[in-house]
């Protein structure tokens, strides 16, 4: 899953990386965002791929009422089922990119998860990369105010993430620059699921201020 990620980048980095310009800048730039705070972040939408705007994490389908998030968790959408579930199926053709610097996941060290190790995961040789998202322009029926709301797509974990996210074994769909265009242009959803697409991720363990490179186990020839 993906409930925390970093937005430690600058507007200039985003504009250069995406060849886009910042239309709105009221988004959070933090070393670690918590999805359950429903933060507003930078996004790039399929309808305007040269514009950096603001989106609210946690998708509201068109039929949702104002208290929807008290009843449903739409921070993530499983890529395997997004096309069939009521909360997401109306948005699978509305694609967006969510710029990230890193995302975070915890590795359970015991059966009940009382002892965990925290990892920072990113895309190799990328200071910025995209989390694949779907979005909906939702209007609050109580006050008429409109919001761009989104979910981050997740897929089965690859080898590295299976070692780290060793309980549910999921990971967000992480796009390199070459894949951003394909995502926004509506390429088949399952082309981005693992193992059809396997991002080149790297991870570091964070513990007590010490950061060590984490590498998955290699198969012997």
């Amino acid at each position: 899953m993906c409930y925390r990620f970093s937005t430690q980048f600058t507007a200039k980095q985003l504009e250069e990386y995406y060849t886009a310009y910042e239309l709105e800048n009221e988004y959070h730039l933090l070393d670690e965002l918590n999805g359950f705070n429903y933060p507003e972040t930078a996004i790039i939408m399929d309808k305007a791929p040269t514009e950096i705007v603001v989106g609210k994490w946690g998708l509201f389908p068109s039929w949702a009422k104002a208290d929807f998030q008290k009843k449903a968790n739409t921070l993530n959408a499983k890529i395997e089922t997004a096309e069939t579930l009521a909360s997401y199926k109306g948005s699978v053709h509305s694609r967006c990119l969510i710029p990230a610097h890193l995302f975070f996941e915890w590795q359970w060290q015991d059966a009940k998860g009382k002892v965990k190790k925290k990892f920072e995961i990113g895309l190799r040789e990328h200071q910025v990369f995209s989390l694949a998202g779907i979005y909906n322009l939702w209007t609050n029926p109580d006050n008429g105010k409109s919001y761009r709301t989104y979910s981050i797509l997740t897929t089965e974990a690859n080898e590295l993430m299976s070692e780290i996210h060793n309980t549910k074994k999921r990971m967000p769909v992480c796009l390199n620059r070459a894949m951003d265009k394909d995502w926004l242009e509506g390429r088949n959803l399952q082309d981005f699921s693992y193992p059809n697409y396997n991002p080149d991720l790297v991870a570091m363990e964070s513990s007590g201020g010490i950061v060590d490179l984490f590498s998955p186990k290699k198969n012997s020839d």
Side-chain angles (χ1 to χ4, degrees):
M1 310 307 285
C2 181
Y3 295 139
R4 291 176 181 263
F5 68 93
S6 168
T7 54
Q8 281 294 286
F9 41 67
T10 66
K12 183 178 179 180
Q13 283 178 303
L14 291 190
E15 289 179 336
E16 291 179 350
Y17 182 77
Y18 290 104
T19 317
Y21 62 94
E22 189 178 68
L23 192 65
E24 300 174 353
N25 60 10
E26 296 83 14
Y27 52 80
H28 296 283
L29 294 174
L30 296 172
D31 57 356
E32 186 172 340
L33 293 170
N34 182 345
F36 291 99
N37 292 330
Y38 308 110
E40 293 184 331
T41 75
I43 66 170
I44 295 96
M45 300 188 299
D46 50 3
K47 293 181 178 179
T50 61
E51 297 178 358
I52 300 167
V53 295
V54 173
K56 191 172 182 64
W57 192 3
L59 188 142
F60 275 64
S62 297
W63 44 263
K65 296 181 179 180
D67 64 349
F68 178 72
Q69 286 178 328
K70 294 180 181 179
K71 304 172 183 178
N73 174 3
T74 55
L75 297 174
N76 295 169
K78 289 185 177 181
I79 200 167
E80 299 88 351
T81 58
E83 293 173 293
T84 62
L85 295 180
S87 293
Y88 307 115
K89 64 182 182 181
S91 298
V92 293
H93 299 297
S94 297
R95 307 280 183 87
C96 66
L97 308 173
I98 302 106
H101 172 54
L102 299 165
F103 68 95
F104 302 91
E105 195 53 76
W106 283 259
Q107 182 188 65
W108 284 26
Q109 302 297 297
D110 64 340
K112 294 185 178 181
K114 292 183 178 180
V115 181
K116 300 178 184 179
K117 286 184 180 180
K118 184 179 181 180
F119 288 86
E120 306 171 0
I121 305 103
L123 202 60
R124 190 183 302 276
E125 297 181 354
H126 283 62
Q127 289 298 308
V128 178
F129 67 95
S130 301
L131 300 169
I134 57 176
Y135 70 91
N136 185 55
L137 304 178
W138 176 75
T139 300
N140 187 329
D142 292 347
N143 59 24
K145 189 173 180 179
S146 294
Y147 302 86
R148 303 180 191 96
T149 67
Y150 71 83
S151 289
I152 294 171
L153 273 290
T154 68
T155 184
E156 291 183 10
N158 63 9
E159 182 184 11
L160 174 67
M161 289 306 298
S162 291
E163 292 272 357
I164 296 173
H165 198 201
N166 56 352
T167 52
K168 295 183 179 179
K169 298 195 174 184
R170 303 286 300 176
M171 66 180 184
V173 177
C174 301
L175 305 173
N176 59 35
R177 190 68 187 104
M179 295 296 284
D180 286 347
K181 186 171 183 285
D182 288 344
W183 177 255
L184 290 182
E185 291 184 349
R187 183 169 164 177
N188 185 281
L189 205 64
Q190 300 312 319
D191 287 349
F192 299 89
S193 64
Y194 179 78
N196 298 329
Y197 171 63
N198 186 9
D200 188 9
L201 299 175
V202 291
M204 293 183 294
E205 180 185 343
S206 299
S207 178
I210 299 173
V211 180
D212 299 309
L213 182 66
F214 176 85
S215 300
K217 296 176 181 177
K218 301 291 185 181
N219 293 327
S220 300
D221 293 333

